[in-house]
């Protein structure tokens, strides 16, 4: 297990290095393709040539691309000094540069947005995992009944309806018309009750989309597992149906559920773009949308690397949990 973990951590490091190289390459190529200069984003288009060259030197944009990438990697682990003559500005590790628009450090900016996204992902994931799997199990056990058809039609609607439609619908009904819920994010450390009240609609909206997928997958997988020989053997031994379903069938069903759950959580923590934009939650997804609209490349790079890190780590965690969920899985 230890050898496997070390090998996977090495693979994670290599993958993140590749992602950083691709992201940095895009950062370098976009200005070339558009005929613009990143230094102009800092000083403005009406600045004189000397000011532009000064910023280029300060940010290291006048160096070869390989050297720039090396400084970028060094900044992530050890920080970086942006110097121009006697004026030295130090960017603490990890350093992802400075925003073109606000001139803030990207790393603290992302950390400031992370609690919003993490709160959204945590609450919604609990809802969709519990409701989705429970609905799928009930539907599989009541196959071809009215309940099965109703739940699957509802699941199909959940998959088909986009978040920006369901989100705007619940906002219109429950916030603007009925006034039952506020729509202003409050940190959990400030007021836990207000935190939950402000996030319950985004949680439900996001969970409705994902729970539909989990319900359909749970139903299909459980129906397949219930036809296996070891399930028939368990029933032939006289085990109670609750034991057959709960101890034997569901354990095998959880393997694909765990796979997509890890991927979904990693992607959401990287930024739930549509949900945050719809409900005006200023998380990583909202910040990514604003950065793209303003061509703020350092922030785009930071969000991309942040999202890649969480997705890769979620994959690693899922692989390690396979053996716990399903004893048939052996880590080599």
């Amino acid at each position: 297990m230890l050898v496997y973990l070390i090998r996977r951590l090495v693979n994670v490091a290599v993958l993140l290095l590749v992602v950083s190289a691709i992201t940095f390459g895009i950062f370098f190529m976009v200005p070339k393709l558009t005929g613009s200069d990143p230094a102009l984003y800092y000083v403005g288009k009406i600045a004189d040539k000397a000011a532009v060259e000064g910023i280029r030197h300060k940010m290291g944009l006048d160096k070869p691309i390989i050297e720039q990438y090396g400084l970028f990697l060094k900044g992530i682990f050890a920080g970086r000094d942006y110097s121009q003559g006697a004026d030295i500005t130090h960017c603490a590790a990890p350093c992802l540069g400075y925003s073109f628009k606000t001139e803030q450090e990207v790393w603290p900016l992302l950390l400031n947005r992370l609690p919003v996204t993490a709160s959204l992902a945590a609450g919604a994931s609990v809802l969709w995992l519990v409701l989705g799997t429970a609905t799928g199990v009930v539907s599989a056990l009541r196959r071809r009944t009215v309940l099965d058809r109703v739940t699957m039609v509802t699941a199909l609607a959940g998959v088909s309806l986009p978040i920006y439609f369901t989100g705007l619908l619940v906002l219109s009904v429950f916030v603007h018309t009925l006034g039952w819920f506020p729509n202003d994010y409050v940190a959990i450390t400030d007021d836990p009750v207000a935190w939950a009240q402000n996030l319950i609609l985004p949680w439900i909206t996001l969970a409705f989309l994902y729970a539909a997928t989990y319900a359909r997958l749970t139903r299909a997988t459980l129906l397949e597992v219930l036809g296996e020989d070891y399930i028939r053997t368990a029933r032939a031994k006289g085990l109670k149906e609750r034991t057959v379903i709960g101890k034997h069938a569901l354990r095998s069903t959880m393997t694909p559920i765990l796979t997509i759950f890890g991927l979904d959580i990693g992607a959401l923590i990287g930024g739930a773009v549509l949900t945050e934009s719809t409900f005006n939650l200023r998380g990583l997804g909202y910040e990514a949308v604003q950065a793209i609209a303003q061509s703020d490349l350092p922030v785009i790079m930071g969000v991309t690397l942040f999202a890649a890190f969480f997705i890769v780590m979620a994959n690693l965690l899922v692989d390690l949990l396979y053996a716990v969920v399903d004893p048939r899985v052996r880590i080599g």
Side-chain angles (χ1 to χ4, degrees), residues 14-329:
V14 172
L15 182 57
L16 289 176
L17 184 65
V18 172
V19 171
S20 70
I22 294 174
T23 306
F24 188 84
I26 294 174
F27 174 83
F28 181 78
M29 290 301 298
V30 166
K32 299 289 186 181
L33 295 176
T34 58
S36 60
D37 188 340
L40 293 175
Y41 289 105
Y42 286 102
V43 298
K45 295 183 179 181
I46 61 175
D48 57 28
K49 185 175 181 180
V52 174
E53 290 300 322
I55 289 296
R56 285 180 56 82
H57 176 70
K58 181 178 181 179
M59 306 305 297
L61 299 174
D62 55 347
K63 294 180 174 61
I65 180 63
I66 299 299
E67 187 175 350
Q68 288 187 47
Y69 180 61
L71 292 172
F72 173 72
L73 291 181
K74 177 185 175 183
I76 294 177
F77 296 101
R80 183 177 174 186
D81 290 329
Y82 291 94
S83 60
Q84 183 182 15
D87 179 24
I88 296 179
T89 302
H90 182 74
C91 181
C95 179
L96 298 174
Y98 289 84
S99 167
F100 284 159
K101 299 302 178 181
T102 65
E103 297 187 1
Q104 291 179 276
E105 283 189 45
V106 174
W107 177 253
L109 177 64
L110 297 183
L111 288 183
N112 185 49
R113 304 300 191 199
L114 181 59
V116 179
T117 301
S119 298
L120 176 63
S125 63
V126 172
L127 282 178
W128 85 56
L129 183 61
V130 173
L131 296 178
T133 54
T135 301
V137 170
V138 172
S139 183
L141 297 180
R142 300 291 186 269
R143 185 183 182 186
R144 294 176 181 172
T145 63
V146 174
L147 179 61
D148 178 28
R149 291 184 173 88
V150 170
T151 54
M152 286 302 100
V153 169
T154 304
L156 180 60
V159 173
S160 304
L161 295 175
I163 286 180
Y164 53 81
F165 172 79
T166 55
L168 292 176
L169 182 63
V170 298
L171 276 174
S172 175
V173 174
F174 295 105
V175 176
H176 301 298
T177 302
L178 299 176
W180 288 358
F181 298 97
N183 189 35
D184 188 18
Y185 177 79
V186 177
I188 188 173
T189 53
D190 295 337
D191 189 342
V193 176
W195 169 81
Q197 288 177 338
N198 283 279
L199 285 174
I200 189 168
L201 290 182
W203 284 343
I204 293 174
T205 302
L206 194 56
F208 183 55
L209 173 65
Y210 283 88
T213 302
Y214 283 67
R216 293 168 64 86
L217 179 61
T218 301
R219 179 184 183 275
T221 308
L222 185 57
L223 287 175
E224 181 180 351
V225 170
L226 289 176
E228 296 289 341
D229 292 338
Y230 71 93
I231 297 296
R232 287 194 290 268
T233 301
R235 284 171 170 164
K237 288 181 178 180
L239 295 178
K240 295 181 179 180
E241 187 67 12
R242 180 185 302 175
T243 303
V244 173
I245 300 299
K247 186 176 181 180
H248 298 284
L250 277 182
R251 193 163 189 175
S252 299
T253 305
M254 285 299 103
T255 302
I257 296 298
L258 180 62
T259 302
I260 64 171
F261 182 71
L263 294 175
D264 290 338
I265 284 293
L268 277 182
I269 296 180
V273 176
L274 291 178
T275 307
E276 291 179 10
S277 299
T278 301
F279 289 91
N280 197 31
L281 296 172
R282 298 179 180 273
L284 292 172
Y286 181 91
E287 194 64 40
V289 171
Q290 297 301 310
I292 293 172
Q294 298 173 353
S295 300
D296 199 345
L297 295 179
V299 177
I300 297 173
M301 286 178 60
V303 173
T304 302
L305 292 177
F306 224 64
F309 173 79
F310 283 116
I311 292 174
V312 170
M313 295 307 297
N315 272 292
L316 174 61
L317 183 60
V318 166
D319 288 345
L320 295 177
L321 290 176
Y322 272 158
V324 178
V325 175
D326 192 344
R328 296 174 300 175
V329 176

